[in-house]
């Protein structure tokens, strides 16, 4: 590979940020400033560096975190260090919404405009912020703001996230410099929710000062008896490994070592655990398929890129009970024969990243991770990777590409990850909620676990209830409770108009359908989906067409652009919904027919789930809620299957 | 003597193609089986010298039991599979994809696009005059070739040809995301400041004419490009000893562009800057 670099040089600050991650360059061939005698006689090809292409995303983060954007010089420098072609790295940097390749202020405010926030007044918040900070993208007083997709703070909507570039914060435990008065800009973040224009402006001025709300606030049931997945959230100290162990932590891993890898897989299979990320694939079968592949090494990937609008359960678990995820990943790695696990957390969750980083470090220093886990001769370690703002990276193969340092575009399947996943090797990819079920399965036994829920949907399930309810938050219920029961727990609104089930990729149901049992089979029978467990309640104060437009805008923004039906289809869908904002009845029929046809092609022909689901919520609003005054069948003969 | 590389023997597998029992060598794609059976499936991003990217989705077919349609270009035939290429569902997706593409990009120089649009009854105009388009100005930043991204369907073929599949130059990549994604050099720099070595292998694989010889681009602008008046002569490149085949496209006794036969076992359609662009001296006496 003969790489071409331009003349731009990194600033000292940028060089330092990259070197802090990659170490100083070994020679001038790898970006060192001084050409030594040895460099003149010895050419280094960079093979070793090329093999660490997976450090591209962390390196882009390092620069972006330090200066707030990625300059030409900085990009060229990190490309030299990793022997990555600059055009490819540029393609990666421009893929993620949290990176900028043009100068911008160090402080960037992300203002959520997604579903739960839209229902709870994000429009007013935006207007207020515009008044104080100018139009989106403009730099006013060292601060810029931008509208953002769902920040996963739906229980406290409307929400904003403030990120300020600067020096990295000292490692946990080290002495922090006195706040204020210091010349050093420290990287800081602040979560503002529920947000007012006032509180956002205050946090933007001093993001380090804002204290994040406790995880327990998101769990109305916190501390109640009978909880399984949430039993420690709000109860244990998330920073203390000892506290975690005092609350039953690491007993499941000990049991796993007693059972052996195949014993663990048998328990998980017998428990009937199905993936909680939306696809409901049997976890035991996935683990078995990975464990049995002759190709090595095997990898474990924890998908913590929870970006589905309306979903925040994984954040609450990671923030409130981080060690449970570390332990579950260790068990999953043990069962599938992996010695390395990648934990991919979305970039919009700074607190979860901080707590997990801390927990991984503690677990490693205490022998719960490392070369010899618990003295059992099993080596396992976890690398934490931070996403940079791309919903598509929640799709497992896009997530692999993202970790590997490529654009987060999904791969076509087959081959499936259990055969060729991360780095082309057999990989078990599981969502956070799926993994935290593994601990309870091992401690209570498969039989007792399978007795919870229904026959086809076993165990407890987390639901993210938001929108117009009295007590929004994460709820844990055994599978089989009805939608109505869940809404009653959360405080049903007086004039319920609709419930969005499963998030933007899910579907709407009517208020007269609240007896739908919350199980995989029950929702399927009702012609809808449980998806990621989103229950977003909408009352008649909410303009449904505007919500549909926001959903379309979300998919248009988040499409990776790889395949035509999704890249252009999502644009045409949004355009049609724009036209429909002020049309109803007969005038709407043409556009509704158009939506159906484009929607069917997106569903049938897109590469991945994003494009395939981009029309499902809109479709359900048309068919189940009659949102444009059209019910199913009124445009008979114009359906895609009926042509010709 | 032409060396013909022999492939190792492959097992035959049996599957059903539009109700016909079909036997293909193991590892064949559905598209290969369709072509062997004489079926005409439209394709854009598929390239005979490249790994299928299956990004355009015009070749989708229905596989019995599958939730979604499958791209024929990259899905391998499996024993016992039942494939239908001409169902209403598959035709609907192809039609819509052609409509979407034609509504956003300029397909005027895409071979066969007009024919397929007619065959599938696609109506790109129905998205309205205000439908978003790429709206890119042609990038003319060197004397050898032009990038007209208004015609680009983002099939990734040029990126793959420039990257690890052939040239290993990595001068271009896809930048941005979604509808705003574009083929781009680093920092969107002009080609002359990029890693480009002007091999023109990207032009060779471009299915839409978004990448073209400057000579072709200028003649099209001037209205003098006339493919029907062109002759093609394949000869051996005289620059070095490798012996690449070059196909000279000649109009009115002038070489207007140079391609290379894809079935040539040495070049597979690839050339270097000299073979691809070094033809002006032929016309100078």
């Amino acid at each position: 590979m003969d790489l071409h670099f331009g003349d731009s040089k990194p600033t000292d600050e940028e060089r330092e940020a990259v070197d802090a991650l990659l170490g100083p360059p070994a020679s001038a061939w790898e970006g060192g400033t001084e050409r030594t005698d040895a460099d003149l006689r010895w050419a280094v090809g960079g093979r070793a560096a090329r093999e660490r292409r997976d450090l591209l995303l962390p390196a882009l983060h390092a620069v972006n975190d330090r200066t707030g954007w990625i300059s030409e010089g900085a990009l060229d420098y990190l490309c030299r260090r990793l022997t990555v072609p600059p055009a490819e790295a540029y393609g990666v940097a421009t893929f993620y919404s949290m990176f900028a390749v043009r100068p911008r202020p160090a402080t960037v405010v992300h203002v959520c405009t997604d579903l739960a926030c839209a229902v709870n007044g994000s429009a007013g918040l935006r207007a207020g912020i515009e008044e104080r900070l100018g139009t989106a993208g403009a730099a006013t007083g060292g601060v810029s703001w931008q509208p953002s997709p769902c920040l996963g703070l739906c229980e406290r909507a409307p929400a904003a996230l403030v990120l300020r570039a600067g020096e990295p914060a000292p490692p946990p435990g080290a002495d922090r410099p006195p706040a204020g008065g210091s010349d050093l800009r420290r990287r800081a973040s602040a979560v503002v929710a529920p947000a007012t224009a006032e509180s956002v402006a205050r946090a933007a001025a001093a993001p380090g000062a804002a204290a994040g709300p406790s995880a327990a606030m998101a769990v109305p049931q916190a501390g109640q008896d009978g909880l399984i997945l949430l039993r420690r959230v709000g109860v244990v100290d998330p920073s203390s490994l000892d506290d975690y162990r005092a609350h039953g932590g690491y007993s499941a891993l000990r049991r796993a070592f007693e059972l052996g890898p195949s014993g663990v897989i048998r328990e998980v299979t017998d428990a009937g655990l199905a993936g909680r990320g939306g696809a409901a694939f049997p976890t035991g079968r996935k683990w078995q398929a990975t464990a049995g592949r002759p190709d090595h090494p095997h990898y474990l990937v924890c998908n913590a890129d929870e970006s589905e609008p309306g979903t925040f359960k994984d954040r609450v678990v990671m923030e409130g009970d981080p060690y449970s995820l570390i332990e579950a990943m260790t068990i999953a790695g043990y069962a599938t024969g992996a010695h390395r696990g990648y934990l991919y957390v979305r970039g919009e969750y700074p607190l979860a990243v901080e707590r997990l980083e801390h927990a991984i470090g503690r677990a490693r220093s205490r022998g719960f991770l490392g070369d010899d886990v618990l003295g059992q001769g099993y080596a396992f370690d976890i690398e934490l990777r931070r996403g940079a703002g791309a919903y598509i990276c929640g799709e497992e193969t896009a997530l692999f590409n993202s970790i590997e340092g490529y654009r987060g575009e999904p791969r076509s399947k087959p081959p499936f990850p259990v055969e060729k996943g991360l780095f082309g090797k057999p990989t078990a990819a599981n969502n956070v909620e799926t993994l935290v079920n593994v601990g309870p399965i091992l401690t209570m036994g498969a039989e007792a676990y399978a007795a919870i829920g229904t026959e086809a949907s076993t165990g407890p399930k987390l639901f993210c209830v938001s929108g117009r309810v009295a007590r929004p938050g994460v709820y844990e219920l055994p599978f089989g409770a009805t939608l109505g029961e869940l809404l009653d727990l959360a405080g049903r609104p007086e004039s319920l108009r609709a419930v969005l089930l499963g998030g933007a990729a899910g579907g709407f149901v009517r208020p007269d359908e609240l007896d739908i049992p919350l199980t995989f089979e029950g929702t399927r029978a009702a012609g809808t989906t449980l998806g990621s467990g989103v229950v977003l309640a909408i009352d008649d104060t909410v303009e449904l067409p505007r919500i549909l437009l926001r959903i379309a805008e979300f998919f248009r923004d988040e499409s990776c652009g790889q395949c035509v039906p999704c890249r252009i289809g999502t644009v045409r869908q949004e355009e049609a919904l724009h036209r429909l904002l002020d049309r109803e009845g007969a005038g709407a029929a043409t556009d509704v027919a158009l939506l159906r046809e484009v929607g069917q092609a997106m569903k049938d022909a897109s590469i991945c789930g994003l494009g395939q689901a981009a029309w499902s919520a809109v479709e359900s609003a048309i068919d189940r809620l009659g949102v444009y005054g059209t019910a199913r069948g009124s445009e008979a003969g114009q359906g895609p299957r009926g042509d010709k | 003597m032409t060396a013909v590389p022999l492939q190792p023997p492959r097992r035959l597998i049996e599957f059903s193609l539009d109700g016909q029992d079909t036997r293909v060598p193991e590892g064949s794609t559905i598209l290969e089986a369709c072509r062997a059976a004489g079926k005409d499936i439209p394709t854009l991003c598929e390239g005979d010298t490249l790994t299928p990217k299956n990004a355009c989705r015009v070749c989708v077919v229905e596989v019995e039991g599958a939730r979604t349609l499958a791209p024929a270009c990259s899905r391998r035939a499996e024993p016992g599979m039942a494939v239908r290429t001409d169902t209403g569902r598959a035709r609907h997706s192809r039609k819509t994809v052609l409509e979407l593409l034609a509504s956003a990009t300029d397909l005027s120089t895409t071979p066969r696009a007009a024919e397929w649009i007619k065959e599938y009854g696609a109506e790109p105009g129905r998205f309205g005059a205000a439908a978003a388009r790429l709206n890119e100005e042609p990038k003319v930043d060197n004397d050898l070739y032009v990038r007209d991204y208004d015609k680009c369907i983002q099939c990734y073929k040029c990126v793959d040809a420039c990257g690890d599949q052939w040239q290993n130059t990595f001068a271009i990549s896809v930048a941005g995301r979604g509808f705003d994604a574009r083929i781009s050099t680093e920092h969107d720099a002009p080609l002359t400041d990029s890693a480009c070595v002007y091999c023109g292998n990207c032009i060779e694989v471009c299915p839409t004419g978004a990448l073209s010889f400057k000579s072709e681009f200028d003649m099209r602008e001037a209205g003098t490009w006339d493919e029907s008046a062109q002759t093609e002569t394949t000869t051996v490149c005289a620059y070095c000893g490798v012996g690449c085949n070059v196909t000279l496209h000649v109009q009115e006794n002038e070489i207007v562009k140079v391609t290379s036969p894809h079935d040539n076992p040495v070049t597979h359609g690839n050339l270097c800057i000299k073979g691809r662009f070094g033809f002006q001296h032929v016309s100078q006496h």
Side-chain angles (χ1 to χ4, degrees):
Chain A
M1 197 186 293
D2 180 23
L3 297 184
H4 170 94
F5 297 101
D7 301 328
S8 349
K9 293 277 175 277
T11 63
D12 289 347
E13 204 182 13
E14 288 163 346
R15 185 183 286 276
E16 206 181 288
V18 175
D19 289 353
L21 176 80
L22 303 176
S27 69
W29 296 102
E30 286 157 27
T33 42
E34 297 293 320
R35 199 174 284 273
T36 64
D37 280 355
D39 289 342
L40 294 173
R41 291 174 173 76
W42 198 265
V44 182
R47 180 177 293 275
R50 203 170 310 149
E51 280 167 8
R52 290 317 311 267
R53 163 104 187 213
D54 65 299
L55 290 174
L56 180 60
L57 185 59
L60 290 169
H61 264 305
V63 174
N64 201 72
D65 283 350
R66 179 68 70 97
T67 60
W69 69 291
I70 297 158
S71 71
E72 276 190 50
L75 190 84
D76 266 13
Y77 180 64
L78 62 88
C79 284
R80 260 180 223 275
R81 295 298 317 274
L82 294 167
T83 36
V84 173
E88 281 195 0
Y90 180 73
V92 173
T94 53
F95 186 81
Y96 297 98
S97 63
M98 292 173 85
F99 293 148
V101 292
R102 312 238 175 291
R104 66 172 178 189
T107 306
V108 180
V109 182
H110 299 258
V111 182
C112 182
T113 55
D114 237 313
L115 306 178
C117 289
V119 169
N120 286 303
S122 68
L125 176 65
R126 276 177 73 163
I129 289 174
E130 208 157 36
E131 233 167 70
R132 279 155 210 268
L133 301 177
T135 51
T140 312
V143 178
S144 80
W145 76 276
Q146 59 189 57
S148 157
C150 184
L151 293 170
L153 296 159
C154 320
E155 83 280 11
R156 299 195 303 276
L161 173 70
V162 180
L163 296 174
R164 173 182 289 181
E167 293 240 349
D175 284 340
R176 280 171 187 272
S182 164
D183 301 345
L184 290 173
R185 283 183 298 134
R186 295 264 161 209
R187 173 154 59 87
S189 60
V191 166
V192 197
T196 59
E198 180 77 7
S199 62
V200 169
R202 219 171 26 240
S214 78
M217 277 179 65
V219 183
Q221 297 164 308
Q224 278 179 23
D225 285 341
L227 294 177
I228 296 170
L229 305 175
L230 297 176
R231 71 185 186 284
R232 279 185 292 258
V233 177
V235 176
V236 294
D237 171 3
S239 67
S240 166
L241 178 55
D242 289 325
D243 202 18
Y244 175 68
R245 293 178 65 201
H247 284 86
Y250 279 107
S251 54
L253 181 60
R254 287 181 202 284
R255 171 120 172 87
F257 283 131
E258 283 165 30
L259 292 166
S262 53
V264 174
I265 293 176
R266 196 175 52 239
E267 285 290 297
V268 170
T269 309
D270 290 350
L273 177 62
R276 306 288 201 245
F281 191 82
T283 306
R285 249 171 66 198
K286 186 186 276 186
W287 287 11
Q288 181 72 58
T290 310
R293 300 297 305 184
D295 197 9
H296 278 275
H298 294 180
Y299 289 105
L300 174 79
V301 169
C302 172
N303 184 345
D305 190 69
E306 174 183 61
S307 311
E308 178 67 37
T311 316
F312 48 98
K313 60 194 168 67
D314 292 350
R315 172 181 61 82
V316 169
V317 171
M318 290 188 288
E319 287 177 2
D321 192 10
Y323 289 100
S324 71
L325 181 59
I326 311 286
E327 182 184 0
M329 283 182 71
T330 313
I331 296 168
Y334 177 66
T336 54
H339 296 288
R340 184 157 291 272
Y342 284 84
L343 172 49
Y344 189 94
V345 189
R346 69 181 302 212
E348 290 88 342
Y349 285 176
L351 185 62
V353 168
E354 194 187 308
R355 294 209 170 140
L356 286 164
E357 256 169 3
H358 175 81
I360 291 169
R362 295 294 298 158
R364 199 179 284 142
S365 70
R366 298 273 296 271
F368 290 97
L369 287 174
D371 292 339
D372 187 14
V373 175
L374 283 180
Q376 298 285 326
Y378 167 62
F380 185 74
D381 215 327
I382 295 174
E383 273 195 45
L384 191 144
R385 286 306 162 86
R386 194 153 44 109
Y391 168 73
I392 184 60
C393 290
E395 199 280 340
E396 54 188 1
T397 57
L399 192 155
F400 301 154
N401 278 333
S402 181
I403 292 177
E404 289 176 25
Y406 294 91
R407 291 164 57 80
E409 292 170 350
R411 305 171 182 170
S412 60
K413 298 190 265 192
F416 291 94
V418 294
E419 194 184 330
K420 282 188 191 310
L422 186 63
F423 303 113
K425 298 294 178 184
T427 302
N430 291 115
N431 148 277
V432 173
E433 188 191 341
T434 313
L435 285 169
V436 296
N437 271 279
V438 173
I441 287 174
L442 293 188
T443 48
M444 68 169 65
E447 206 177 319
Y449 180 92
I452 305 167
T454 66
E455 204 164 312
S457 305
T458 60
K461 174 81 190 97
L462 298 180
F463 295 98
C464 311
V465 189
S466 61
R468 303 298 243 188
V469 291
R471 292 171 296 280
V474 181
Y475 287 84
E476 176 182 325
L477 286 176
F479 270 116
T482 66
L483 185 53
E485 284 165 9
L486 177 60
L487 280 176
D488 286 340
L489 265 183
R492 194 194 294 210
E494 267 177 31
S495 52
L496 187 68
R497 167 93 166 85
V499 175
L500 179 61
L501 203 57
F508 288 96
V509 295
R510 292 187 305 271
D512 62 349
E513 295 179 295
L514 296 187
D515 54 351
I516 293 177
L518 295 172
T519 57
F520 297 125
E521 66 278 14
T523 46
R524 201 177 305 127
T528 181
T529 173
L530 208 52
S532 53
V534 169
V535 173
L536 179 80
I538 291 172
D539 65 8
D540 52 15
T541 63
V542 178
E543 285 178 68
L544 212 43
R546 292 238 162 246
I547 293 289
L548 296 186
L549 188 59
R550 173 58 214 163
I551 290 175
E553 194 183 286
F554 173 81
F555 282 110
R556 186 255 298 146
D557 265 351
E558 297 296 336
S559 168
C560 78
Q562 191 182 201
C563 71
V564 174
C566 180
R567 179 176 76 233
I568 307 176
T570 51
V571 173
R572 299 290 174 252
Q573 169 171 279
E574 190 189 347
E575 288 167 352
L577 287 171
H578 254 293
R579 291 193 292 268
L580 279 167
L581 271 188
D582 43 30
R583 272 187 212 172
E584 267 198 20
T590 333
D591 276 322
V592 171
L594 189 81
L595 279 170
R596 274 193 207 287
E597 290 201 23
V598 172
Q600 187 64 41
M602 285 198 281
K603 193 183 270 190
D604 275 342
S606 297
I607 292 179
C608 79
L610 187 149
Q612 289 160 12
W615 136 257
S616 69
V618 180
E619 182 183 28
S620 70
I622 294 171
D623 288 344
R624 293 176 100 106
L625 306 179
V627 67
Y628 299 114
T630 51
R632 181 175 280 285
S634 68
E635 326 110 42
Q638 293 180 39
R641 315 262 174 116
D643 56 349
K644 293 232 164 163
Chain B
M1 187 191 90
T2 309
V4 180
L6 289 176
Q7 295 194 331
R10 288 192 290 175
R11 210 160 56 94
L12 290 179
I13 59 154
E14 261 188 58
F15 77 108
S16 149
L17 185 61
D18 288 332
Q20 299 273 312
D21 286 339
T22 307
R23 284 151 66 88
V24 291
E26 193 176 28
S28 303
T29 61
I30 294 173
L31 183 67
E32 284 163 348
C34 287
R35 285 185 174 158
K39 290 180 196 296
D40 181 31
I41 308 279
T43 58
L44 285 168
C45 73
E46 183 262 351
D48 53 354
T49 62
L50 296 161
T51 307
K53 182 71 187 167
N54 66 71
C56 77
R57 317 304 274 188
V58 292
C59 69
V60 286
V61 294
E62 198 161 342
V63 175
E64 207 168 272
R67 191 172 46 87
T68 56
L69 300 175
C73 67
S74 62
R75 176 63 61 85
R76 302 198 183 283
E78 292 161 27
M81 200 183 222
V83 176
R84 305 206 76 95
T85 62
D86 213 34
T87 60
R89 208 174 145 204
R91 290 187 68 91
H92 169 75
S93 274
R94 284 183 216 153
K95 173 189 114 154
T96 310
V97 163
L98 287 166
E99 275 174 349
L100 292 171
L101 272 178
S103 69
T105 38
D106 171 6
L107 296 183
S108 63
T109 52
T110 304
R112 299 198 68 189
E115 178 194 329
W116 289 327
I117 283 174
K118 199 163 162 229
E119 180 190 339
Y120 286 92
E123 299 166 52
R126 72 201 186 105
F127 298 115
R133 292 184 60 88
L134 265 60
N135 282 333
E136 295 280 313
E137 284 297 310
K139 289 178 192 290
V140 189
D141 53 15
N142 66 84
D143 289 335
L144 299 183
Y145 75 94
V146 175
R147 299 177 286 158
D148 186 357
Y149 288 144
D150 201 39
K151 294 177 170 173
C152 176
I153 60 164
Q154 288 163 55
C155 67
Y156 292 66
K157 279 161 96 171
C158 57
V159 177
D160 289 344
C162 186
D164 60 359
Q165 290 193 26
W166 291 114
Q167 188 61 27
N168 275 290
T169 291
F170 300 94
I172 46 173
S173 170
V174 178
R177 192 166 80 189
F179 196 72
D180 300 326
R182 297 287 186 276
I183 308 294
S184 169
T185 58
E186 68 269 27
H187 303 287
D188 209 10
L191 220 47
T192 45
D193 293 345
S194 77
C196 178
V197 297
Y198 305 96
C199 62
N201 293 335
C202 52
I203 309 176
E204 184 74 49
V205 297
C206 179
T208 63
L211 301 171
S212 66
F213 278 68
K214 179 81 161 40
S215 48
E216 175 175 347
F217 181 81
D218 289 345
M219 288 171 79
R220 280 188 189 275
E221 292 272 283
T224 55
W225 181 260
D226 182 5
E227 233 152 271
S228 64
Q230 291 171 8
T231 57
E232 291 177 21
T233 309
T234 299
T235 180
V236 177
C237 179
Y239 277 107
C240 76
V242 171
C244 302
N245 278 187
V246 290
T247 302
L248 310 174
H249 297 244
V250 177
Q251 182 177 332
E252 287 167 26
N253 220 25
E254 293 268 346
I255 299 173
V256 289
K257 72 171 178 180
V258 174
T259 57
S260 178
H262 289 200
D263 57 0
N264 184 295
V266 178
T267 65
H268 296 283
N270 299 303
L271 293 171
C272 73
I273 180 172
K274 291 183 285 184
R276 181 83 63 191
F277 294 108
F279 54 75
Q280 278 184 353
H281 69 282
V282 177
S283 316
Q284 285 162 0
H285 307 288

